[in-house]
Amino acid sequence: MFGNGLLVLYRSLARHPLYAALNLLGLAAGIAVFLVLSMVVNYERSYNRWLPHANQVYRIDSIFTNSGQAPQEYASATFAAQAPLRQDFPQIRDSAREMDRADTVTAGTTVGNENITYADPSFLHVIELPLV
């Protein structure tokens, strides 16, 4: 049975080589695209996997829509969203806010600009990172 299938395949390849080559190239391209997309999905799903309890941590994004423009998504939300969300969703165990901003920093006589991240005291309850 298997030998008969191989014989039919060989005859088809011998009769229509261009058609067979196009089919093989299409199959190879399809498999390559599938493998690359699988690797991208695996990377995206494993991005925060190193964090403890990463499956229980969520980020709130904001989407701004201006008329005549495409919606713009930002990885941030207003600070006023924390209390209403905790009131509407009682299953939220803890929440934390963080904000990045450039500030002037003084160390002795040296003055410079640094990017500083401000966070709520509960930040280390949400993202359980060990500190030294």
Side-chain angles (χ1 to χ4, degrees):
M1 181 81 178
F2 186 68
N4 188 28
L6 287 176
L7 183 63
V8 170
L9 175 67
Y10 172 73
R11 287 179 181 166
S12 176
L13 288 175
R15 264 191 220 142
H16 309 287
L18 182 62
Y19 180 74
L22 287 175
N23 276 337
L24 286 175
L25 285 174
L27 180 63
I31 291 173
V33 167
F34 170 76
L35 290 175
V36 169
L37 288 177
S38 296
M39 290 179 358
V40 168
V41 167
N42 187 36
Y43 171 75
E44 290 293 333
R45 291 187 72 226
S46 68
Y47 188 71
N48 288 330
R49 198 175 292 167
W50 62 275
L51 287 171
H53 309 292
N55 60 341
Q56 298 174 3
V57 176
Y58 295 90
R59 180 182 76 186
I60 300 174
D61 291 348
S62 298
I63 299 175
F64 292 101
T65 306
N66 294 325
S67 61
Q69 296 180 353
Q72 297 176 343
E73 183 174 352
Y74 296 97
S76 64
T78 177
F79 278 78
Q82 185 180 23
L85 282 173
R86 291 188 70 140
Q87 182 179 0
D88 291 345
F89 300 98
Q91 63 268 32
I92 295 176
R93 284 189 280 164
D94 211 342
S95 61
R97 301 170 294 184
E98 63 93 14
M99 177 179 69
D100 296 329
R101 108 180 217 198
D103 272 342
T104 304
V105 177
T106 305
T109 59
T110 306
V111 177
N113 288 332
E114 293 289 331
N115 288 330
I116 297 176
T117 300
Y118 298 96
D120 283 342
S122 62
F123 183 79
L124 292 176
H125 296 284
V126 175
I127 309 289
E128 296 178 6
L129 296 175
L131 295 181
V132 177

